[in-house]
Amino acid sequence: MRAIYFEDGKIDFVQRDKPQLGPGEALLKVLLAGICNTDIELYKGYYGFAGVPGHEFVAVVEECPDRQELVGKRVVADINCPVGAYVGDRRHVANRTVVGIVNHDGAFAEYLKVPAENLYVVADKVEDRAAVFAEPLAAGLEVSQQIHVTGDMRVMVLGDGKLGLLTALALKLYNPHVLLVGKHEDKLAIAAKQGVNTYCIGDPEELTALAAEWDKFDLVVEATGSEKGINYALDFVRPEGTIVAKTTSHLPSSINLAKLVVDEISIVGSRCGDIGLALNVLEQGMIDVSGLIEAEYDFDDFTEAFERAMTKGAKKVLVRM
């Protein structure tokens, strides 16, 4: 099979054997994959990554010895794969691999394997171009599963990248006053069309002035994609408020600990979410993700697709296998 391999800032097409299944695993034929900012960070050196990336995908089950009823089904998957027996949430089992990120070949390939228990069947009414957003939408919805979001809270999302947009749209289901702050009028318009309040800044430095002028927020979600984002969030959150940190950057962040301590601010890390919940939201038509698609490329044109995804301000780039 063909696959994409990242190593030392290089992108190569390679030939590999189909994955060999272990107990409880399923072989998937990838239909469509999305290029995520995490993939870009891996390319730049995050985690010292070398391997086959790609963790946002929709696929068809080709083999599944332990659950034959799944063969032929269109699926998405939780990307966290425990190794051996485990107790608790598979997303945080210490002995785990992570599809396309940690010791587990990902979806930028014709085939991949995952544990059958990680699979979620996609309803017929949900198209591939929506189902491929299940993983990042789940990450956006995860904020509402970690924090009790009420309708009277002041909620801000910082950053209008793919994850920021999805997080704002997800939080809009729980709070009608969500404010999304970003730098791109066209991307903010995607959220505004679905009822999210938006504010466009010309330059990140404007945030300092705005923080001095605006009332503080109960909850600030930091999804800027920048190592500087956490300190912007600190400027906007009220004393005893909460920051949810979403950014994963290959660059380290510094933080104003004095402000954190004096104002008794809570910081919550937020990563993967409930794929089943995300699929249900998509099936019910509660969020429209079509506006987040930048372009779709054939697998043969992966390098061009990745360059497009790395373009400043790009939305979601999809790759059809």
Side-chain angles (χ1 to χ4, degrees), residues 79-90:
I79 65 175
N80 301 282
C81 306
V83 178
Y86 70 99
V87 176
D89 189 339
R90 65 178 171 232

Side-chain angles (χ1 to χ4, degrees), residues 1 3 30 36 58 72 84 127 131 135 138 141 164 170 173 175 179 184 192 206 215 229 237 275 289 296 321:
M1 69 169 189
V30 181
C36 170
V58 57
E127 297 180 351
E135 196 279 334
L141 286 161
L173 302 177
N175 180 293
L179 175 66
H184 308 92
E206 290 182 37
D215 291 337
V237 70
I275 302 290
V289 295
E296 182 177 323
M321 300 302 170

